[in-house]
Amino acid sequence: MNVILFGPPGAGKGTQAQFIVERFGIPQISTGDMLRAAVKAQSPLGVAAKSIMDAGGLVSDEIVLGLVKERISQQDCHNGFILDGFPRTTPQADALIALLDGVGKHIDHVVSLEVDGAEIVQRLSGRRTCPSCGKGYHVAYDAPKVAGICDVCGAALVQRNDDREETVQNRLDVYREQTSPLKDYFEQRGLMRHIDGNGTIQDIQGQICSLLEGSVGDRP
């Protein structure tokens, strides 16, 4: 079962990806993690990527696809994988599908966590962090005992710049602009699965479970 996972910032993608990993025993593959691992291992692709990154450039699609091919050939991907953060463009999606065809694999589901923009803004803009001990809070869902003060060490809580409302809105706009063509691309291929991400973590997990367990059950 090979899955691509989509979701705007604040949709709970990381939480749900971890659930899929634990429930179905397939690894989550992040392009960032792959790059870091390849650079650390000093593989040929890692060396090439490091030289580009050190020069301030963007790693080419060819290198990223090479890393994906290496990663999905590993034993823990035998029963499937979750791709997170890739593809980001329709040419990348074309290249990914061609790569998978070449090794006898295919994408089963493109899972998109759909969350209202207003809900995303509330989730992210309400986050607060202790700059001293690092403990996180949320003004609505996990508030400190004393407003603005860390329960653990008493330091004044701060809001990260990328959690400010105007920044969150901009991040959402960028996400929609980048993913809209990809959603259409996978929709046309009958692969897009929309999950309502506005409910509780357990509700969302239930939807994902129904989708993916049905997929497993349909296999010969």
Side-chain angles (χ1 to χ4, degrees), residues 157-170:
L157 301 179
V158 298
Q159 182 183 42
R160 298 189 323 182
N161 287 334
D162 59 351
D163 284 340
R164 297 187 185 281
E165 186 170 340
E166 61 274 16
T167 307
V168 171
Q169 192 60 60
N170 183 61

Side-chain angles (χ1 to χ4, degrees), residues 116-126 138 163 165 168-169 172:
D116 295 338
E119 173 68 15
I120 292 288
V121 171
Q122 181 182 32
R123 288 183 188 180
L124 295 186
S125 64
H138 193 283
D163 284 340
E165 186 170 340
V168 171
Q169 192 60 60
L172 285 174

Side-chain angles (χ1 to χ4, degrees), residues 15-16 23 102 108 138 143 176 180 192:
T15 299
Q16 298 305 332
R23 176 67 181 80
D108 293 291
H138 193 283
R176 293 188 189 105
S180 179
M192 182 61 71

Side-chain angles (χ1 to χ4, degrees), residues 35-48:
L35 278 169
R36 286 186 287 273
V39 169
K40 184 177 180 181
Q42 295 186 318
S43 70
L45 286 172
V47 171

Side-chain angles (χ1 to χ4, degrees), residues 113-202:
L113 297 178
E114 306 288 345
V115 185
D116 295 338
E119 173 68 15
I120 292 288
V121 171
Q122 181 182 32
R123 288 183 188 180
L124 295 186
S125 64
R127 296 196 299 199
R128 299 293 184 271
T129 305
C130 176
S132 179
C133 70
K135 181 171 173 56
Y137 299 87
H138 193 283
V139 296
Y141 308 128
D142 186 21
K145 295 174 183 176
V146 178
I149 301 298
C150 179
D151 294 344
V152 177
C153 66
L157 301 179
V158 298
Q159 182 183 42
R160 298 189 323 182
N161 287 334
D162 59 351
D163 284 340
R164 297 187 185 281
E165 186 170 340
E166 61 274 16
T167 307
V168 171
Q169 192 60 60
N170 183 61
R171 291 167 66 193
L172 285 174
D173 291 343
V174 170
Y175 171 79
R176 293 188 189 105
E177 181 179 344
Q178 288 181 339
T179 60
S180 179
L182 270 179
K183 286 186 175 182
D184 291 343
Y185 177 96
F186 287 117
E187 197 81 63
Q188 291 167 9
R189 285 158 178 76
L191 294 172
M192 182 61 71
R193 320 290 183 231
H194 299 280
I195 298 291
D196 182 0
N198 292 294
T200 66
I201 291 174
Q202 290 74 22

Side-chain angles (χ1 to χ4, degrees), residues 35 49 52 57-66 86 92:
L35 278 169
I52 294 169
L58 293 175
V59 177
S60 69
D61 288 354
E62 183 179 3
I63 289 177
V64 174
L65 285 161
F86 187 85
Q92 287 178 348

